[in-house]
């Protein structure tokens, strides 16, 4: 298994540009997540999905959009990039089932700079 | 999800055991204790988790007190590559908030 794969790894955007961060997992996990991590800070949840066709907001959803058309893929869209969105973005996935724990597996991160 | 408290930093000599404590005094009966670590700015890496019993895997051991209000992650023979920020998290298997709160964790430095 490749686990959780994120692309691109690095990207520089100009203010107002749009882009999509791609995320794919091959573990047949039902839950997928997008987090951002600012320097020296913990992870903050942007959006998550409990299955194909179902998404929900996390702590910091403003400025982002997601979709989940398949179990494997969970892209994150930035419509109008702002300097405040400069961060490291982590995609993650897990299998959530009753009494089975909830181990979350993370991708390697996507470094985004908005200038 | 219950809040956790960890020391901000610890040092350990290479080859010695690293014991990382975590307090979670408000843990509920169905909440698991998870440990993750983050090396530099890589994605957090799962280490181990447990509910009541002590657990061991190829990476570490997890010791949970009988009252479940605290736990200790043990790296039996720390190496330089174990230098990282270690996060203790408590979480229900189903339901509850999806806001996985990592906090600031413990910065473990393994010294030669």
């Amino acid at each position: 298994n490749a686990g959780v794969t994120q692309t691109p790894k690095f990207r520089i955007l100009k203010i107002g540009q749009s882009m999509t961060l791609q995320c794919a997992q091959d573990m047949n996990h039902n839950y997928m997540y997008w987090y951002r991590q600012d320097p020296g800070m913990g992870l903050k949840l942007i959006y998550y999905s409990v299955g194909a066709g179902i998404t929900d907001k996390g702590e910091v959803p403003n400025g982002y959009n997601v979709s989940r058309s398949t179990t494997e893929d969970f892209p994150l869209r930035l419509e109008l990039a702002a300097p405040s969105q400069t961060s490291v973005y982590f995609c993650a996935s897990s299998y959530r089932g009753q009494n089975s724990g909830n181990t979350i597996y993370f991708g390697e991160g996507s470094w985004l700079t908005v200038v | 999800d219950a809040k956790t408290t960890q020391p901000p930093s610890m040092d350990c000599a290479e080859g010695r055991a690293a014991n990382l404590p975590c307090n979670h005094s408000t843990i509920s009966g169905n909440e698991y204790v998870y440990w993750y670590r983050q090396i530099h700015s890589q994605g957090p890496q799962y280490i181990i988790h447990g509910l009541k019993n002590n657990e061991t895997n190829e990476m570490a051991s997890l010791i949970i007190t009988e009252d479940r209000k605290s736990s200790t992650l043990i790296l039996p023979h720390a190496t330089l590559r174990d230098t990282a920020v270690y996060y203790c998290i408590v979480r229900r298997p189903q339901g509850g908030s999806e806001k996985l709160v990592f906090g600031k964790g413990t910065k473990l430095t393994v010294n030669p």
Side-chain angles (χ1 to χ4, degrees):
Chain A
N1 289 348
V4 179
T5 304
Q6 292 182 233
T7 56
K9 193 168 181 67
F10 299 98
R11 182 73 187 267
I12 297 175
L13 276 181
K14 294 184 177 179
I15 295 172
Q17 285 186 321
S18 302
M19 75 158 298
T20 299
L21 298 176
Q22 302 291 343
C23 177
Q25 54 89 12
D26 60 359
M27 298 175 281
N28 202 31
H29 284 167
N30 49 356
Y31 278 59
M32 294 188 75
Y33 311 80
W34 273 106
Y35 294 90
R36 60 176 286 175
Q37 185 175 32
D38 298 330
M41 306 296 287
L43 282 78
K44 293 185 178 180
L45 182 64
I46 305 172
Y47 271 96
Y48 69 99
S49 168
V50 304
I54 306 170
T55 63
D56 208 347
K57 296 178 180 179
E59 299 176 85
V60 289
N62 291 342
Y64 306 94
N65 281 300
V66 293
S67 60
R68 184 100 180 267
S69 56
T70 67
T71 299
E72 295 79 18
D73 300 299
F74 191 42
L76 177 72
R77 177 94 178 148
L78 284 73
E79 292 294 349
L80 292 170
S84 61
Q85 293 178 304
T86 294
S87 190
V88 182
Y89 291 83
F90 292 104
C91 180
S93 71
S94 72
Y95 176 75
R96 272 208 135 178
Q98 192 170 13
N99 298 323
S100 66
N102 180 26
T103 301
I104 297 180
Y105 296 92
F106 287 82
E108 287 302 307
S110 295
W111 275 251
L112 177 66
T113 301
V114 182
V115 296
Chain B
D1 294 323
K3 182 179 177 180
T4 61
T5 304
Q6 299 177 254
S9 64
M10 293 182 64
D11 284 276
C12 177
E14 188 177 19
R16 303 297 293 270
N19 297 287
L20 291 88
C22 179
N23 287 320
H24 31 80
S25 58
T26 59
I27 192 169
S28 300
N30 63 345
E31 287 182 316
Y32 286 74
V33 179
Y34 282 81
W35 284 84
Y36 285 81
R37 72 180 183 184
Q38 192 171 23
I39 298 173
H40 297 298
S41 293
Q42 297 178 19
Q45 178 189 22
Y46 165 78
I47 301 172
I48 198 168
H49 76 281
L51 183 61
K52 296 180 181 178
N53 300 322
N54 298 337
E55 302 288 344
T56 296
N57 63 19
E58 65 278 5
M59 290 182 67
S61 295
L62 173 61
I63 308 298
I64 303 174
T65 58
E66 192 170 343
D67 63 8
R68 301 208 329 119
K69 292 185 177 182
S70 65
S71 61
T72 301
L73 177 74
I74 301 173
L75 308 178
H77 305 287
T79 71
L80 299 179
R81 288 177 294 181
D82 291 323
T83 292
V85 179
Y86 287 78
Y87 299 97
C88 168
I89 302 157
V90 291
R91 191 161 175 76
R92 293 181 232 175
Q94 194 173 42
S97 172
E98 292 297 335
K99 300 175 185 178
L100 191 66
V101 180
F102 274 74
K104 295 192 174 180
T106 296
K107 168 73 171 157
L108 175 68
T109 302
V110 181
N111 300 305

